[in-house]
Amino acid sequence: MYFGCHLSASRGYCAMIRQAMAMDADTFAFFTRNPRGSRSKKEDPTDSTAAVQMLRLGNFGPVVAHGAYTMNLCTAKPEDRAFAAEILADDLRRMAAIPGNFYNIHPGSHVGQGTEQGIEQIAQALRRAMEPDYPVVVLLETMAGKGSEVGSRFEELRAILDAVGRDDLGVCLDTCHVYDAGYDIKNDLDGVLEEFDRVIGLKRLKALHLNDTKNPFCSHKDRHEKIGEGFLGEETFARIVHHPKLWGKPMILETPNELDGYTREIALLRALHNNFI
Ligand code: FE
Ligand code: FE
Ligand code: ZN
C-alpha cells in the first residue's frame, strides 16, 4: 500500500518528492499543468532524471499525475476537442520523462451530445494520443456524475476501455465520486469491488483517490471532505486500506487540506492500515 496526497508541482519533481518524504508519503499526485488553464511548465530534464532516481531509492509506488480539469476530450466544438487532445498528447509525452508512473484524467463531459458520443470521442482522443510502448499508464477516473460527466457508471468506463483496446489504460477509483455516483462503498465495499471486477476487471484498477464526501449517498455533487469528517466516515477508510483486493495500490488524498492536514491524514491511514486504531 502506498499513501500520499496532492502536491504543488510548481518547484518541480524533486521538490515534490522531498515534500512527500517529509510527510511520510510514498506516492503523490500533482497537476501536469495549471488545473484551470492549459499552461504547462518548461520541461527540466535534470529535475526529471534526478526524480527517477529518488523515486526508486525512496521505494515510492507509482505517482499519479492528474490532467487538467479543463481538458474535456468530448466537448462539443471540434476545435476545442482538438485542443484538449493536443494537451493530452503533450502531457503523455512529458510523463515519459518519469517512466512507469500513472497519468489520471477525468474522461470528459459530453455537454449534451449524449454519453455514447462522449465515449466515442474520448476513446478516439486516447487512441490517437497513446503511442505504442509509451512508459505511462493512463487512468480514467471514476466520476461523480455531476452535469454531463462521462464515467460515473462502471459500464461507461468499460466501454471506453473496449473502444481504446490497450492494456496500458486503467482506472483510478475515487471514493467520494463512486459513493456520489451510487456505489455504496460505505455499507457494501465487497459488493462494489465485485461489481467493479465483473464490469471492468480488477486488474484495471491501478490507483485510488481517498476522499470523504460532504454529501449523502448518490448525490452527484462531487464535494470532497476530510477523511472521517464526511458521509463515508473513518470506518469506511479503515476497510479500504485493509482490503486485500486493494493491496499495493497508490492511494492519494485529495481532501480539503493544507500540508499539515495531509500529513495527519497520511499518518491516520497508516495507523488504520497497521491496526493501531
Ligand atoms: Fe480528479
Ligand atoms: Fe479524484
Ligand atoms: Zn472530485
Side-chain angles (χ1 to χ4, degrees):
M1 217 76 98
Y2 301 103
F3 298 114
C5 65
H6 201 97
L7 295 174
S8 163
S10 61
R11 287 177 302 127
Y13 291 127
C14 291
M16 284 191 282
I17 296 166
R18 278 192 293 271
Q19 181 65 60
M21 286 172 149
M23 301 167 81
D24 196 24
D26 45 17
T27 180
F28 58 92
F30 61 94
F31 285 120
T32 48
R33 54 189 72 221
N34 181 330
R36 311 250 162 239
S38 56
R39 203 170 45 85
S40 62
K41 285 189 60 201
K42 206 170 145 288
E43 282 164 283
D44 180 353
T46 314
D47 181 51
S48 48
T49 306
V52 170
Q53 288 275 4
M54 283 175 78
L55 290 171
R56 194 175 56 229
L57 294 173
N59 294 313
F60 273 71
V63 304
V64 190
H66 199 306
Y69 289 153
T70 44
M71 184 182 77
N72 185 359
L73 299 177
C74 59
T75 192
K77 268 198 197 163
E79 60 267 34
D80 294 347
R81 222 159 49 230
F83 181 63
E86 242 172 71
I87 289 177
L88 171 69
D90 186 54
D91 276 356
L92 293 183
R93 191 184 52 73
R94 285 162 175 275
M95 286 299 294
I98 50 163
N101 291 296
F102 299 158
Y103 172 74
N104 169 74
I105 59 169
H106 295 179
S109 292
H110 65 67
V111 291
Q113 302 186 90
T115 306
E116 243 168 79
Q117 177 78 347
I119 288 168
E120 185 38 52
Q121 291 173 350
I122 294 160
Q124 191 180 76
L126 286 165
R127 278 196 303 264
R128 285 182 184 160
M130 293 173 76
E131 306 273 348
D133 302 320
Y134 240 27
V136 46
V137 176
V138 179
L139 306 183
L140 304 169
E141 181 165 351
T142 60
M143 301 310 292
K146 194 176 56 171
S148 63
E149 277 173 355
V150 178
S152 64
R153 303 298 310 166
F154 293 163
E155 287 78 4
E156 295 168 12
L157 297 172
R158 173 80 251 170
I160 298 169
L161 293 168
D162 284 344
V164 176
R166 292 181 61 117
D167 288 336
D168 50 359
L169 183 60
V171 172
C172 174
L173 187 149
D174 185 308
T175 56
C176 166
H177 297 178
V178 290
Y179 191 66
D180 240 2
Y183 294 99
D184 193 356
I185 53 169
K186 182 185 175 116
N187 298 299
D188 188 17
L189 178 61
D190 281 321
V192 172
L193 291 177
E194 270 160 33
E195 184 167 353
F196 188 104
D197 196 27
R198 188 162 35 79
V199 177
I200 299 176
L202 272 172
K203 71 172 200 307
R204 296 278 192 168
L205 180 59
K206 303 294 185 189
L208 286 91
H209 285 169
L210 298 192
N211 304 303
D212 211 324
T213 173
K214 285 191 196 296
N215 292 289
F217 184 57
C218 211
S219 300
H220 305 293
K221 289 249 171 58
D222 191 0
R223 297 280 311 280
H224 302 184
E225 183 53 283
K226 296 186 175 76
I227 300 298
E229 296 186 19
F231 280 86
L232 285 171
E234 198 173 288
E235 274 178 38
T236 302
F237 293 95
R239 283 193 287 274
I240 287 169
V241 300
H242 275 123
H243 205 288
K245 286 181 175 165
L246 303 177
W247 281 349
K249 318 247 185 239
M251 298 194 173
I252 306 289
L253 294 159
E254 303 173 305
T255 46
N257 271 308
E258 302 295 328
L259 291 175
D260 56 339
Y262 277 138
T263 305
R264 282 194 299 276
E265 286 191 344
I266 290 165
L268 170 67
L269 293 172
R270 292 203 187 282
L272 291 172
H273 183 240
N274 296 329
N275 255 329
F276 290 158
I277 288 177

